């Protein structure tokens, strides 16, 4: 029983991180119709910056139990790169998807180099800081409280996004803009400003994902590219542009990854992409494809 | 109120609009009639800021619109109901109308503005909770105009409000347009069917191949056989919009 619960919680943790990144991808695609490969780089930036900020803050006297909030703040602070990257993407808004993929992949490569320039190639981590919160015993499984905090944070963010989109005027404007861009302009919406906000929100979701994952792993220069592959599987399974799809897709990929790693690691990607193929054959637009944001 | 002067629009190498001039006065309904591809929608899209004309001017209340973004033009009080209705399919009917009250603040409250729109098209009250994509073609047209009205505009641009509607629905939409002009709004309406032009319209402009070829009262169009030949009308058309 303990092993099953351990796998369940581990899968949920992976899904929580994947959801944050995929939600950023879906938000940007849903509203702006840009498939932004650079989410992987934002995730990596979040991890590097999160590790650096938390290590610095703890060194400066930040009470260790507050490091979780330090990671969240690191992710939020990185939102400042959103308007800069969004400005770079403007010329390709109405261009073919191939241009979007090329330009966003170019941004991936540029950000990877920038990350290397700033942080070098040495892995960085927050050491055993995440154990400061201790562990809990869940039906025989020992689960770090930090993992539960991350799952709760991702769940809260998922609920927050759902409420934002369904209950607020801003969310309804976003859904309208995702549906008919010209029409919302004719109703007085400055879509240029809206895009800056949406893109920055997408960046923050990805950077928070990267920052929150770092206590249980270590930074690697290629971590962004690896995540793009998984995030791509999440959105294909869930359906491009759908938030519900991001949630379900993240759960599927999170659990497939965890099960593969536990039982036979070499087939991790093979199984993920088998699931992708099966979903594409049965539902070519993904499980929730066609939904707005 | 709106004055278009010597407008020229090229799209790639095609001269789409040639020296187009027209005007819409306070509380006037002005109709722009022409066949598909004649240039009607290009004129409307130029007014709305989606196309930047190569020369000429478009003045609204004395202010030049050319160079302004569509959202800036909307915020000046120009509402738009496009040909395909462009209803936000994922939002309810109520949300479709409400959205205009969030995007443009005026002296009137959102509730007042929504109430005005629903008074013009009372049939929409029955469907307030229904999703936009569950509405019929006629209901979408009414919703599209109601949404434009909820922006609290002084000027409305209607692109083919009667296109594709069943004869049973056309009178409801026509009554709505009539009520809107009676409220004091100015309206520029594009139509491909001369029979849809209300008799009480202040002026009709007929456009063909990007040029205005006729300007006059609606009844006068029927006195010009060469104009009727161009727009495919006849003196025997059943004029269904005569409120």
């Amino acid at each position: 029983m303990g092993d099953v619960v351990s796998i369940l919680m581990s899968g949920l943790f992976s899904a929580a991180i994947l959801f944050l990144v995929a939600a950023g991808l879906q938000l940007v695609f849903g509203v702006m119709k840009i498939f932004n490969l650079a989410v992987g780089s934002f995730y990596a930036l979040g991890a590097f910056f999160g590790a650096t900020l938390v290590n610095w803050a703890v060194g400066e006297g930040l009470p260790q139990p507050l490091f979780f909030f330090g990671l969240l703040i690191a992710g939020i602070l990185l939102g400042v790169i959103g308007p800069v990257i969004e400005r770079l993407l403007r010329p390709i808004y109405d261009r073919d998807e191939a241009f979007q993929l090329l330009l966003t992949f170019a941004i991936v490569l540029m950000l990877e180099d920038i990350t290397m320039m700033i942080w070098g190639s040495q892995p960085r981590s927050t050491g055993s800081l995440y154990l400061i919160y201790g562990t809990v015993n869940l039906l025989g499984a020992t689960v770090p409280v930090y993992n539960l905090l991350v799952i709760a944070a991702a769940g809260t963010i998922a609920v927050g996004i759902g409420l934002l989109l369904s209950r607020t005027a801003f969310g309804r404007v976003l859904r309208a803009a995702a549906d008919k861009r010209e029409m919302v302009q004719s109703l007085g919406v400055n879509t240029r400003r809206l895009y800056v906000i949406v893109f920055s929100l997408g960046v923050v979701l990805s950077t928070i994902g990267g920052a929150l994952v770092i206590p249980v792993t270590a930074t690697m220069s290629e971590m962004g590219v690896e995540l793009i592959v998984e995030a791509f599987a999440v959105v294909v399974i869930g359906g491009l542009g759908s938030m519900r799809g991001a949630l379900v897709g993240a759960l599927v990929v999170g659990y497939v990854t965890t099960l593969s790693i536990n039982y036979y690691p070499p087939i991790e990607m093979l199984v993920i992409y088998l699931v992708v193929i099966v979903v594409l054959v049965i539902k070519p637009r993904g499980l929730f494809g066609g939904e707005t944001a | 109120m709106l004055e278009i002067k010597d407008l020229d629009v090229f799209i790639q190498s095609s001269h789409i609009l040639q020296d187009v001039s027209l005007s819409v006065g306070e509380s006037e309904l002005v109709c722009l009639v022409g066949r598909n591809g004649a240039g009607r929608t290009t004129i409307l899209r130029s007014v709305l800021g989606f196309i930047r004309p190569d020369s000429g001017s478009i003045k609204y209340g004395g202010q030049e619109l050319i160079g302004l973004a569509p959202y800036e033009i909307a915020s000046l009080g120009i509402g738009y109901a496009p040909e395909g209705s462009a209803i936000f399919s994922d939002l309810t009917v109520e949300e479709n109308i409400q959205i205009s009250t969030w995007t443009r603040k005026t002296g009137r409250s959102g509730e007042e503005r929504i109430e005005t729109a629903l008074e013009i098209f009372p049939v929409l009250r029955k469907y307030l909770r229904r999703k936009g994509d569950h509405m019929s073609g006629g209901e979408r047209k009414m919703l599209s105009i109601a949404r434009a009205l909820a922006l609290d505009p002084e000027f409305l641009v209607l692109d083919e409000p009667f296109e594709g509607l069943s004869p049973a629905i056309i009178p409801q939409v026509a009554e709505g347009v009539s009520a809107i002009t009676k409220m004091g709004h100015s309206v520029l309406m594009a139509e491909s069917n001369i029979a849809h032009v209300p008799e009480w319209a202040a002026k009709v402009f007929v456009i063909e191949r990007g040029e205005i070829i006729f300007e006059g009262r609606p009844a006068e169009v029927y006195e010009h056989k060469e104009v009727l030949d161009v727009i495919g009308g006849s003196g025997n058309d059943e004029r269904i919009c005569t409120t």
Side-chain angles (χ1 to χ4, degrees), chain A residues 116-280:
Chain A
M116 287 282 281
M117 278 163 52
I118 298 173
W119 285 283
S121 55
Q122 287 297 316
R124 284 162 193 270
S125 74
T126 53
S128 56
L129 208 49
Y130 81 107
L131 290 174
I132 197 96
Y133 298 119
T135 57
V136 289
N137 190 297
L138 285 180
L139 302 170
T142 303
V143 181
V145 171
Y146 177 77
N147 289 24
L148 297 177
L149 281 175
V150 170
I151 292 165
T156 306
I157 289 171
V159 171
I161 292 172
L163 291 176
L164 174 82
L165 291 175
S166 62
R167 300 286 168 85
T168 67
F170 178 70
R172 287 170 185 140
V173 171
L174 280 187
R175 282 155 62 205
D179 190 9
K180 305 213 163 48
R181 185 172 69 180
E182 273 198 0
M183 196 60 236
V184 293
Q185 291 176 316
S186 288
L187 293 176
V189 176
N190 180 350
T191 47
R192 188 165 277 192
R193 196 163 61 190
L194 189 75
Y195 282 8
V196 172
I197 296 169
V198 166
F199 196 82
S200 301
L201 263 176
V203 169
V204 166
L205 286 167
S206 306
T207 50
I208 286 179
L212 291 183
V213 84
I214 207 59
V216 297
T217 179
T219 60
M220 292 172 292
S221 57
E222 68 277 18
M223 67 189 293
V225 176
E226 279 179 11
L227 187 94
I228 291 167
V229 177
E230 289 183 359
F232 183 72
V234 169
V235 297
V236 172
I237 291 169
L240 204 49
S242 159
M243 275 298 164
R244 264 197 299 180
L247 191 58
V248 174
L251 285 167
V252 171
V253 175
Y255 277 111
V256 167
T257 306
T258 305
L259 286 168
S260 305
I261 289 171
N262 271 276
Y263 293 106
Y264 193 55
I267 61 166
E268 179 193 346
M269 279 297 150
L270 177 83
V271 180
I272 287 175
Y273 276 89
L274 268 179
V275 176
V276 167
I277 290 167
V278 169
V279 169
L280 284 180

Side-chain angles (χ1 to χ4, degrees), chain A residues 172 175 179-180 182 187, chain B residues 45 71 87 89-90 95 103:
Chain A
R172 287 170 185 140
R175 282 155 62 205
D179 190 9
K180 305 213 163 48
E182 273 198 0
L187 293 176
Chain B
R45 289 179 65 79
Y71 79 91
I87 297 306
S89 54
D90 191 41
E95 290 169 338
T103 54

Side-chain angles (χ1 to χ4, degrees), chain B residues 149-210:
Chain B
L149 261 182
L151 195 69
D152 210 13
E154 287 78 42
F155 192 96
L156 274 170
V157 175
L158 308 181
D159 195 359
E160 301 231 40
F162 306 109
E163 176 66 20
L165 298 187
S166 75
I169 299 291
I170 287 176
Q172 283 184 59
V173 178
E175 276 171 29
V177 175
S178 169
I180 288 166
T181 46
K182 282 175 188 157
M183 285 165 61
H185 295 281
S186 303
V187 179
L188 174 60
M189 183 171 100
E191 259 304 334
S192 57
N193 188 346
I194 185 66
H196 289 164
V197 171
E199 286 170 347
W200 40 267
K203 269 179 284 182
V204 173
F205 290 86
V206 175
I207 184 167
E208 171 66 2
R209 294 174 195 267

Side-chain angles (χ1 to χ4, degrees), chain B residues 117-138:
Chain B
L118 293 175
E119 275 171 15
I120 300 287
F121 297 109
V123 69
L124 295 175
R125 287 187 199 276
K126 286 192 287 183
Y127 308 122
L128 289 177
R129 303 265 173 252
R130 192 179 279 189
K131 282 279 175 84
D133 57 355
H134 293 157
M135 303 288 281
S136 70

